[in-house]
Each structure stands twice: as structure tokens, then as C-alpha cells.
Amino acid sequence: IVRYEARQLIPFPLDDIVWDFQLIGSEKGVVEREAALFAVKEEVVRAILRSPMAVDFPVDMMQVSPLAAYNFVKFDRLPQEPV
């Protein structure tokens, strides 16, 4: 069902993004559960990883909060100089 919801909510082909979900709550016996859905275009991830990869710095994982802050500054504030 999560894949179906992702198709409904994400305006890009699922093959073009990196996405995952986190189930919320842990009530036993509950049929319906809420889920948080996280998605980012794969090209954005590759662009962010270019710098560490250029100097052979291994990256094992990325956290969502810094990516959200990056997106906010880059796309909502449109900085004209380095931030």
C-alpha cells in the first residue's frame, strides 16, 4: 500500500527518486497505521555526493533534516552567494 501511496503523492517516476518510509506508532493489533514518506530526486543526491566522492571520502548515509534545510535555502530563499 505504501508504494501505491508514493505513486499518488510523488510527482515523479519512482525510478527517478530515492525514497523510503517510516511507520509511525507501534500499536499491536491495529490494522491501519500511519507512515511518513520521504523522497528526493536521485540526481539531487548525486549532485550532493559529487564533492565527497571527488576526494574519495566515503559516505555511508545521508540524514533527511540537513537535506530539507538545503532544499529550503536553495529553492525557497534563492541565495545569491554561498551559504
Coordinates of all heavy atoms in Angstrom, one line a residue:
I1 N 0.8 -1.2 0.0 CA 0.0 0.0 0.0 C 0.9 1.3 0.0 O 0.5 2.3 -0.6 CB -1.0 0.0 1.2 CG1 -2.0 1.1 1.1 CG2 -0.3 0.1 2.5 CD1 -3.2 0.8 0.2
V2 N 2.1 1.2 0.6 CA 2.9 2.4 0.7 C 3.4 2.7 -0.7 O 3.4 3.9 -1.1 CB 4.1 2.1 1.6 CG1 5.1 3.3 1.5 CG2 3.7 1.9 3.0
R3 N 3.7 1.8 -1.6 CA 4.1 2.0 -2.9 C 3.0 2.7 -3.7 O 3.2 3.7 -4.5 CB 4.6 0.7 -3.6 CG 5.1 1.0 -5.1 CD 5.7 -0.3 -5.6 NE 7.0 -0.6 -5.1 CZ 8.1 0.0 -5.5 NH1 8.1 0.9 -6.5 NH2 9.2 -0.3 -4.9
Y4 N 1.8 2.3 -3.5 CA 0.6 2.9 -4.1 C 0.5 4.4 -3.7 O 0.3 5.3 -4.5 CB -0.7 2.2 -3.8 CG -1.9 2.9 -4.2 CD1 -2.3 2.8 -5.6 CD2 -2.7 3.6 -3.3 CE1 -3.5 3.5 -6.0 CE2 -3.8 4.3 -3.7 CZ -4.2 4.2 -5.0 OH -5.3 4.9 -5.5
E5 N 0.6 4.6 -2.4 CA 0.5 6.0 -1.9 C 1.7 6.8 -2.4 O 1.5 8.0 -2.7 CB 0.6 6.0 -0.3 CG -0.7 5.4 0.3 CD -1.9 6.3 0.1 OE1 -1.8 7.5 -0.1 OE2 -3.0 5.7 0.1
A6 N 2.9 6.3 -2.5 CA 4.0 7.0 -3.0 C 3.7 7.4 -4.5 O 4.0 8.6 -4.8 CB 5.3 6.2 -3.0
R7 N 3.1 6.6 -5.3 CA 2.8 6.9 -6.7 C 1.8 8.1 -6.7 O 1.8 8.9 -7.6 CB 2.3 5.7 -7.4 CG 3.3 4.8 -7.8 CD 2.7 3.7 -8.8 NE 3.5 2.5 -8.8 CZ 3.2 1.4 -8.3 NH1 1.9 1.2 -7.9 NH2 4.0 0.3 -8.3
Q8 N 0.9 8.1 -5.7 CA -0.1 9.2 -5.7 C 0.4 10.5 -5.3 O 0.0 11.5 -5.7 CB -1.3 8.8 -4.7 CG -1.9 7.5 -5.1 CD -2.5 7.5 -6.5 OE1 -3.2 8.4 -6.9 NE2 -2.3 6.5 -7.3
L9 N 1.4 10.5 -4.4 CA 1.9 11.7 -3.7 C 3.2 12.3 -4.4 O 3.5 13.5 -4.2 CB 2.2 11.4 -2.2 CG 1.0 11.0 -1.4 CD1 1.4 10.6 0.0 CD2 0.0 12.2 -1.3
I10 N 4.0 11.5 -5.0 CA 5.3 11.9 -5.6 C 5.1 12.2 -7.1 O 4.7 11.3 -7.8 CB 6.4 10.9 -5.3 CG1 6.6 10.7 -3.8 CG2 7.7 11.3 -6.0 CD1 7.5 9.5 -3.5
P11 N 5.3 13.4 -7.5 CA 5.0 13.8 -8.9 C 6.1 13.4 -9.9 O 6.2 14.0 -11.0 CB 4.9 15.3 -8.8 CG 5.8 15.7 -7.7 CD 5.7 14.6 -6.7
F12 N 6.9 12.4 -9.6 CA 8.0 12.0 -10.5 C 7.9 10.4 -10.5 O 7.4 9.8 -9.6 CB 9.4 12.3 -9.9 CG 9.5 13.8 -9.6 CD1 9.5 14.2 -8.3 CD2 9.7 14.7 -10.6 CE1 9.6 15.6 -8.0 CE2 9.8 16.1 -10.3 CZ 9.7 16.5 -9.0
P13 N 8.4 9.8 -11.6 CA 8.5 8.4 -11.6 C 9.3 7.9 -10.4 O 10.4 8.4 -10.1 CB 9.2 8.1 -13.0 CG 9.0 9.3 -13.8 CD 9.0 10.5 -12.8
L14 N 8.9 6.8 -9.8 CA 9.6 6.3 -8.6 C 11.0 5.8 -9.0 O 11.8 5.8 -8.1 CB 8.8 5.2 -8.0 CG 7.4 5.6 -7.4 CD1 6.8 4.4 -6.7 CD2 7.5 6.7 -6.5
D15 N 11.2 5.5 -10.2 CA 12.6 5.1 -10.6 C 13.6 6.3 -10.6 O 14.8 6.1 -10.6 CB 12.6 4.5 -12.0 CG 11.8 3.1 -12.0 OD1 11.7 2.5 -11.0 OD2 11.4 2.7 -13.1
D16 N 13.1 7.5 -10.7 CA 13.9 8.7 -10.7 C 14.2 9.3 -9.3 O 14.9 10.3 -9.2 CB 13.2 9.8 -11.5 CG 13.1 9.4 -13.0 OD1 13.8 8.5 -13.4 OD2 12.4 10.1 -13.7
I17 N 13.7 8.6 -8.3 CA 13.9 9.2 -6.9 C 14.4 8.1 -6.0 O 14.3 6.9 -6.3 CB 12.6 9.7 -6.3 CG1 11.5 8.6 -6.3 CG2 12.1 10.9 -7.1 CD1 10.3 9.0 -5.5
V18 N 15.0 8.6 -4.9 CA 15.4 7.7 -3.8 C 14.3 7.9 -2.7 O 14.1 9.1 -2.3 CB 16.8 8.0 -3.2 CG1 17.1 7.2 -2.0 CG2 17.8 7.9 -4.3
W19 N 13.6 6.9 -2.3 CA 12.5 7.1 -1.4 C 12.5 6.0 -0.3 O 13.0 4.9 -0.6 CB 11.2 7.3 -2.1 CG 10.7 6.0 -2.7 CD1 11.1 5.5 -3.9 CD2 9.6 5.2 -2.2 NE1 10.3 4.4 -4.2 CE2 9.5 4.1 -3.2 CE3 8.8 5.2 -1.1 CZ2 8.5 3.1 -3.0 CZ3 7.9 4.2 -0.9 CH2 7.8 3.2 -1.9
D20 N 11.9 6.3 0.8 CA 11.7 5.3 1.8 C 10.5 5.8 2.7 O 10.0 6.9 2.5 CB 12.9 5.1 2.6 CG 13.0 3.8 3.4 OD1 12.0 3.0 3.3 OD2 14.0 3.5 3.9
F21 N 10.1 5.0 3.7 CA 9.1 5.4 4.6 C 9.4 4.9 6.0 O 10.2 4.0 6.2 CB 7.7 4.8 4.1 CG 7.7 3.3 4.2 CD1 7.1 2.7 5.2 CD2 8.1 2.5 3.1 CE1 7.1 1.3 5.3 CE2 8.1 1.1 3.2 CZ 7.5 0.5 4.3
Q22 N 8.7 5.5 6.9 CA 8.9 5.1 8.3 C 7.5 4.9 8.9 O 6.7 5.8 8.8 CB 9.6 6.1 9.1 CG 9.8 5.8 10.6 CD 10.7 4.6 10.8 OE1 11.7 4.5 10.3 NE2 10.2 3.7 11.7
L23 N 7.2 3.7 9.4 CA 5.9 3.5 10.0 C 5.8 4.3 11.4 O 6.8 4.3 12.1 CB 5.6 2.0 10.3 CG 5.4 1.2 9.0 CD1 5.3 -0.3 9.4 CD2 4.2 1.7 8.2
I24 N 4.7 4.9 11.6 CA 4.5 5.7 12.8 C 3.6 4.9 13.8 O 2.6 4.4 13.4 CB 3.9 7.0 12.5 CG1 4.8 7.8 11.5 CG2 3.7 7.9 13.8 CD1 4.2 9.0 11.0
G25 N 4.1 4.9 15.1 CA 3.3 4.1 16.1 C 3.6 2.7 16.0 O 4.1 2.1 15.1
S26 N 3.3 2.0 17.1 CA 3.6 0.6 17.2 C 2.5 -0.2 17.9 O 2.8 -1.1 18.7 CB 5.0 0.3 17.9 OG 4.9 0.9 19.2
E27 N 1.3 0.2 17.7 CA 0.2 -0.4 18.4 C -0.1 -1.8 17.8 O -0.3 -2.0 16.6 CB -1.1 0.4 18.3 CG -1.0 1.8 18.9 CD -2.2 2.6 18.7 OE1 -3.3 2.0 18.7 OE2 -2.0 3.8 18.5
K28 N -0.1 -2.8 18.7 CA -0.3 -4.2 18.2 C -1.8 -4.4 17.9 O -2.7 -3.8 18.6 CB 0.1 -5.2 19.3 CG 1.6 -5.2 19.5 CD 2.0 -6.3 20.5 CE 3.5 -6.2 20.6 NZ 4.0 -7.3 21.5
G29 N -2.1 -5.1 16.9 CA -3.5 -5.4 16.5 C -4.2 -4.3 15.7 O -5.3 -4.5 15.3
V30 N -3.5 -3.2 15.4 CA -4.1 -2.1 14.7 C -3.9 -2.4 13.2 O -2.8 -2.7 12.7 CB -3.4 -0.8 15.0 CG1 -4.0 0.3 14.1 CG2 -3.7 -0.4 16.5
V31 N -5.0 -2.4 12.4 CA -4.9 -2.8 11.0 C -4.3 -1.6 10.2 O -3.4 -1.8 9.4 CB -6.3 -3.2 10.5 CG1 -6.2 -3.4 9.0 CG2 -6.8 -4.4 11.2
E32 N -4.8 -0.4 10.5 CA -4.3 0.8 9.7 C -3.2 1.5 10.5 O -3.4 1.6 11.7 CB -5.4 1.7 9.5 CG -6.4 1.2 8.5 CD -7.4 2.3 8.1 OE1 -7.1 3.5 8.3 OE2 -8.5 1.9 7.6
R33 N -2.2 1.9 9.9 CA -1.1 2.6 10.5 C -0.7 3.8 9.6 O -0.9 3.8 8.4 CB 0.2 1.7 10.7 CG -0.2 0.6 11.7 CD 1.0 -0.3 12.0 NE 2.1 0.5 12.6 CZ 3.3 0.0 12.9 NH1 3.5 -1.3 12.5 NH2 4.2 0.7 13.4
E34 N -0.2 4.8 10.3 CA 0.3 6.0 9.5 C 1.8 5.7 9.1 O 2.5 5.0 9.8 CB 0.2 7.2 10.4 CG -1.2 7.7 10.6 CD -1.3 9.0 11.3 OE1 -0.4 9.8 11.1 OE2 -2.3 9.2 12.1
A35 N 2.2 6.4 8.1 CA 3.6 6.3 7.6 C 4.0 7.6 7.2 O 3.3 8.4 6.6 CB 3.7 5.3 6.5
A36 N 5.3 7.9 7.4 CA 5.9 9.1 6.9 C 6.7 8.7 5.7 O 7.4 7.7 5.7 CB 6.9 9.7 8.0
L37 N 6.5 9.5 4.6 CA 7.1 9.2 3.3 C 8.2 10.2 3.0 O 7.9 11.4 3.2 CB 6.0 9.2 2.2 CG 6.4 8.8 0.8 CD1 6.9 7.4 0.8 CD2 5.2 9.0 -0.1
F38 N 9.4 9.7 2.7 CA 10.5 10.6 2.4 C 11.0 10.3 1.0 O 11.1 9.2 0.6 CB 11.6 10.4 3.4 CG 11.2 10.5 4.8 CD1 10.8 9.4 5.5 CD2 11.2 11.8 5.4 CE1 10.4 9.6 6.9 CE2 10.8 11.9 6.7 CZ 10.4 10.8 7.4
A39 N 11.2 11.4 0.2 CA 11.6 11.2 -1.2 C 12.5 12.3 -1.6 O 12.4 13.5 -1.2 CB 10.4 11.1 -2.1
V40 N 13.5 12.0 -2.5 CA 14.4 13.0 -3.0 C 14.8 12.5 -4.4 O 14.9 11.3 -4.6 CB 15.6 13.3 -2.2 CG1 16.5 12.1 -2.0 CG2 16.4 14.5 -2.7
K41 N 14.9 13.5 -5.4 CA 15.3 13.1 -6.7 C 16.8 12.5 -6.6 O 17.6 13.1 -6.0 CB 15.3 14.2 -7.7 CG 14.0 14.7 -8.1 CD 14.1 15.8 -9.1 CE 12.8 16.3 -9.7 NZ 13.0 17.3 -10.7
E42 N 17.0 11.4 -7.3 CA 18.3 10.8 -7.3 C 19.4 11.7 -7.9 O 20.5 11.7 -7.4 CB 18.3 9.5 -8.2 CG 19.5 8.7 -8.0 CD 19.5 7.3 -8.7 OE1 18.4 7.0 -9.2 OE2 20.5 6.6 -8.7
E43 N 19.0 12.5 -8.8 CA 20.0 13.5 -9.4 C 20.4 14.5 -8.3 O 21.6 14.9 -8.3 CB 19.5 14.2 -10.6 CG 18.3 15.1 -10.3 CD 17.6 15.7 -11.6 OE1 17.3 14.9 -12.5 OE2 17.5 16.9 -11.6
V44 N 19.6 14.9 -7.4 CA 19.9 15.8 -6.3 C 20.9 15.1 -5.4 O 21.9 15.7 -5.0 CB 18.7 16.3 -5.6 CG1 19.1 17.0 -4.3 CG2 17.8 17.1 -6.5
V45 N 20.7 13.8 -5.1 CA 21.6 13.1 -4.2 C 22.9 13.0 -4.9 O 24.0 13.2 -4.2 CB 21.0 11.7 -3.9 CG1 22.0 10.8 -3.1 CG2 19.7 11.8 -3.1
R46 N 23.0 12.6 -6.1 CA 24.2 12.5 -6.8 C 25.0 13.8 -6.9 O 26.2 13.9 -6.7 CB 24.0 12.0 -8.3 CG 23.6 10.6 -8.3 CD 23.6 10.0 -9.7 NE 23.0 8.7 -9.8 CZ 23.6 7.6 -9.5 NH1 24.8 7.6 -9.0 NH2 23.0 6.4 -9.6
A47 N 24.3 14.9 -7.0 CA 24.9 16.3 -7.1 C 25.5 16.6 -5.7 O 26.7 17.1 -5.6 CB 23.9 17.3 -7.5
I48 N 24.8 16.2 -4.6 CA 25.3 16.5 -3.3 C 26.6 15.6 -3.0 O 27.5 16.0 -2.3 CB 24.2 16.3 -2.2 CG1 23.2 17.3 -2.4 CG2 24.8 16.2 -0.8 CD1 21.9 17.1 -1.6
L49 N 26.6 14.4 -3.5 CA 27.7 13.5 -3.2 C 28.9 13.7 -4.1 O 29.9 13.1 -3.9 CB 27.2 12.0 -3.4 CG 26.2 11.6 -2.3 CD1 25.7 10.2 -2.6 CD2 26.8 11.6 -0.9
R50 N 28.8 14.5 -5.1 CA 29.9 14.7 -6.1 C 31.1 15.2 -5.3 O 32.2 14.7 -5.6 CB 29.5 15.8 -7.1 CG 29.3 15.1 -8.4 CD 29.1 16.1 -9.6 NE 27.9 15.6 -10.3 CZ 26.8 16.3 -10.4 NH1 26.7 17.5 -10.0 NH2 25.7 15.8 -11.0
S51 N 31.0 16.2 -4.4 CA 32.2 16.7 -3.7 C 32.9 15.7 -2.9 O 34.1 15.5 -3.0 CB 31.7 17.9 -2.9 OG 31.3 19.0 -3.7
P52 N 32.2 15.0 -2.0 CA 32.9 14.0 -1.2 C 33.5 12.8 -2.0 O 34.6 12.3 -1.8 CB 31.9 13.4 -0.2 CG 30.6 14.0 -0.6 CD 30.8 15.1 -1.5
M53 N 32.8 12.5 -3.1 CA 33.3 11.4 -4.0 C 34.5 11.9 -4.7 O 35.4 11.0 -5.0 CB 32.2 10.9 -4.9 CG 31.0 10.2 -4.2 SD 29.7 9.8 -5.3 CE 30.4 8.7 -6.4
A54 N 34.6 13.1 -5.0 CA 35.8 13.7 -5.8 C 37.1 13.5 -5.0 O 38.1 13.4 -5.6 CB 35.5 15.1 -6.2
V55 N 37.0 13.5 -3.7 CA 38.2 13.4 -2.8 C 38.2 12.0 -2.1 O 38.8 11.9 -1.1 CB 38.2 14.5 -1.8 CG1 38.5 15.8 -2.5 CG2 37.0 14.6 -0.9
D56 N 37.5 11.0 -2.7 CA 37.4 9.7 -2.1 C 37.0 9.6 -0.7 O 37.6 8.9 0.1 CB 38.8 9.0 -2.3 CG 39.1 8.7 -3.8 OD1 38.1 8.5 -4.5 OD2 40.3 8.8 -4.1
F57 N 36.1 10.5 -0.3 CA 35.5 10.5 1.1 C 34.3 9.6 1.1 O 33.3 9.9 0.4 CB 35.2 11.9 1.5 CG 34.7 12.0 3.0 CD1 35.6 12.1 4.0 CD2 33.4 12.0 3.3 CE1 35.2 12.2 5.3 CE2 32.9 12.0 4.6 CZ 33.9 12.1 5.6
P58 N 34.3 8.5 1.8 CA 33.2 7.5 1.7 C 32.0 8.1 2.5 O 32.1 8.6 3.6 CB 33.7 6.3 2.4 CG 34.8 6.8 3.3 CD 35.4 8.0 2.6
V59 N 30.8 8.0 1.9 CA 29.6 8.4 2.5 C 28.7 7.1 2.7 O 28.4 6.5 1.7 CB 28.8 9.4 1.7 CG1 27.5 9.8 2.3 CG2 29.7 10.7 1.5
D60 N 28.3 6.9 3.9 CA 27.5 5.7 4.2 C 26.0 6.0 4.3 O 25.2 5.1 4.1 CB 28.0 5.0 5.5 CG 29.4 4.5 5.5 OD1 29.8 4.0 4.4 OD2 30.1 4.5 6.5
M61 N 25.7 7.2 4.7 CA 24.3 7.5 4.8 C 24.1 9.1 4.7 O 25.1 9.8 4.9 CB 23.7 7.0 6.1 CG 24.2 7.7 7.3 SD 23.5 6.9 8.8 CE 23.4 8.4 9.8
M62 N 22.9 9.5 4.5 CA 22.5 10.9 4.5 C 21.3 11.0 5.4 O 20.4 10.2 5.4 CB 22.2 11.4 3.1 CG 23.3 11.3 2.1 SD 22.8 11.8 0.4 CE 22.8 13.6 0.6
Q63 N 21.3 12.1 6.1 CA 20.2 12.4 7.0 C 19.2 13.3 6.3 O 19.6 14.2 5.5 CB 20.6 13.0 8.3 CG 21.4 12.1 9.2 CD 21.8 12.7 10.5 OE1 21.7 13.9 10.7 NE2 22.3 11.9 11.4
V64 N 17.9 13.2 6.6 CA 16.9 13.9 5.9 C 16.8 15.4 6.4 O 16.6 16.3 5.6 CB 15.5 13.3 6.2 CG1 14.4 14.1 5.6 CG2 15.4 11.9 5.6
S65 N 17.1 15.7 7.6 CA 17.0 17.1 8.1 C 17.9 18.0 7.4 O 17.5 19.1 7.0 CB 17.2 17.1 9.6 OG 16.2 16.4 10.3
P66 N 19.2 17.7 7.3 CA 20.1 18.6 6.5 C 19.7 18.7 5.1 O 19.8 19.8 4.5 CB 21.5 17.9 6.6 CG 21.4 17.1 7.9 CD 20.0 16.6 7.9
L67 N 19.2 17.7 4.5 CA 18.7 17.8 3.1 C 17.5 18.7 3.0 O 17.4 19.5 2.0 CB 18.3 16.4 2.5 CG 19.5 15.5 2.1 CD1 19.0 14.2 1.6 CD2 20.3 16.2 1.0
A68 N 16.6 18.6 4.0 CA 15.5 19.5 4.0 C 15.9 21.0 4.1 O 15.4 21.9 3.5 CB 14.5 19.1 5.1
A69 N 16.9 21.2 5.0 CA 17.4 22.6 5.2 C 18.1 23.1 3.9 O 17.9 24.2 3.5 CB 18.4 22.6 6.4
Y70 N 18.8 22.2 3.3 CA 19.5 22.5 2.0 C 18.4 22.9 0.9 O 18.5 23.9 0.3 CB 20.3 21.3 1.5 CG 20.8 21.4 0.1 CD1 21.9 22.2 -0.2 CD2 20.1 20.7 -0.9 CE1 22.3 22.3 -1.6 CE2 20.5 20.8 -2.2 CZ 21.6 21.6 -2.5 OH 22.0 21.7 -3.8
N71 N 17.4 22.1 0.8 CA 16.3 22.4 -0.2 C 15.6 23.7 0.2 O 15.3 24.5 -0.7 CB 15.3 21.3 -0.2 CG 15.8 20.1 -1.0 OD1 16.6 20.2 -1.9 ND2 15.2 18.9 -0.7
F72 N 15.4 24.0 1.4 CA 14.7 25.2 1.8 C 15.5 26.4 1.4 O 15.0 27.4 0.8 CB 14.5 25.2 3.3 CG 14.0 26.6 3.9 CD1 12.7 27.0 3.6 CD2 14.8 27.4 4.6 CE1 12.2 28.2 4.1 CE2 14.4 28.6 5.0 CZ 13.1 29.0 4.8
V73 N 16.8 26.4 1.7 CA 17.7 27.5 1.4 C 17.8 27.7 -0.1 O 17.7 28.8 -0.6 CB 19.1 27.4 2.1 CG1 20.0 28.5 1.6 CG2 18.9 27.5 3.6
K74 N 18.1 26.6 -0.8 CA 18.4 26.7 -2.2 C 17.2 27.1 -3.0 O 17.3 27.9 -3.9 CB 18.9 25.4 -2.7 CG 19.3 25.4 -4.2 CD 20.0 24.2 -4.7 CE 20.4 24.4 -6.1 NZ 21.1 23.3 -6.7
F75 N 16.0 26.5 -2.7 CA 14.8 26.7 -3.6 C 13.8 27.8 -3.0 O 13.1 28.4 -3.8 CB 14.1 25.4 -3.8 CG 15.0 24.4 -4.5 CD1 15.5 23.3 -3.9 CD2 15.3 24.6 -5.9 CE1 16.3 22.4 -4.5 CE2 16.1 23.7 -6.5 CZ 16.7 22.6 -5.9
D76 N 13.8 28.0 -1.7 CA 12.9 29.0 -1.2 C 13.5 30.3 -0.9 O 12.8 31.4 -1.1 CB 12.2 28.5 0.1 CG 11.3 27.3 -0.1 OD1 10.9 27.1 -1.2 OD2 10.9 26.7 0.9
R77 N 14.8 30.3 -0.6 CA 15.4 31.6 -0.3 C 16.3 32.1 -1.5 O 16.6 33.3 -1.5 CB 16.3 31.5 0.9 CG 15.6 31.2 2.2 CD 14.7 32.4 2.5 NE 13.9 32.1 3.7 CZ 12.8 32.7 4.0 NH1 12.3 33.6 3.2 NH2 12.1 32.4 5.0
L78 N 16.6 31.2 -2.4 CA 17.3 31.6 -3.6 C 18.6 32.4 -3.4 O 18.7 33.6 -3.8 CB 16.4 32.3 -4.6 CG 15.1 31.5 -5.0 CD1 14.2 32.4 -5.8 CD2 15.5 30.2 -5.7
P79 N 19.5 31.9 -2.6 CA 20.7 32.7 -2.2 C 21.5 33.1 -3.5 O 21.6 32.4 -4.4 CB 21.5 31.8 -1.3 CG 21.1 30.4 -1.7 CD 19.7 30.5 -2.2
Q80 N 22.1 34.3 -3.4 CA 22.9 34.8 -4.5 C 24.4 34.6 -4.2 O 25.2 34.9 -5.0 CB 22.6 36.3 -4.7 CG 21.2 36.5 -5.1 CD 20.7 35.8 -6.3 OE1 21.4 35.8 -7.4 NE2 19.6 35.1 -6.3
E81 N 24.7 34.2 -3.0 CA 26.1 34.0 -2.6 C 26.2 32.7 -1.8 O 25.1 32.2 -1.3 CB 26.7 35.2 -1.8 CG 25.8 35.6 -0.6 CD 26.3 36.9 0.0 OE1 26.2 37.9 -0.7 OE2 26.7 36.9 1.1
P82 N 27.4 32.2 -1.5 CA 27.5 30.9 -0.7 C 26.8 31.1 0.6 O 26.9 32.1 1.3 CB 29.0 30.7 -0.6 CG 29.6 31.4 -1.8 CD 28.7 32.6 -2.0
V83 N 26.2 30.0 1.1 CA 25.6 29.9 2.4 C 26.3 28.9 3.2 O 26.5 27.8 2.8 CB 24.1 29.6 2.2 CG1 23.4 29.5 3.6 CG2 23.4 30.7 1.4

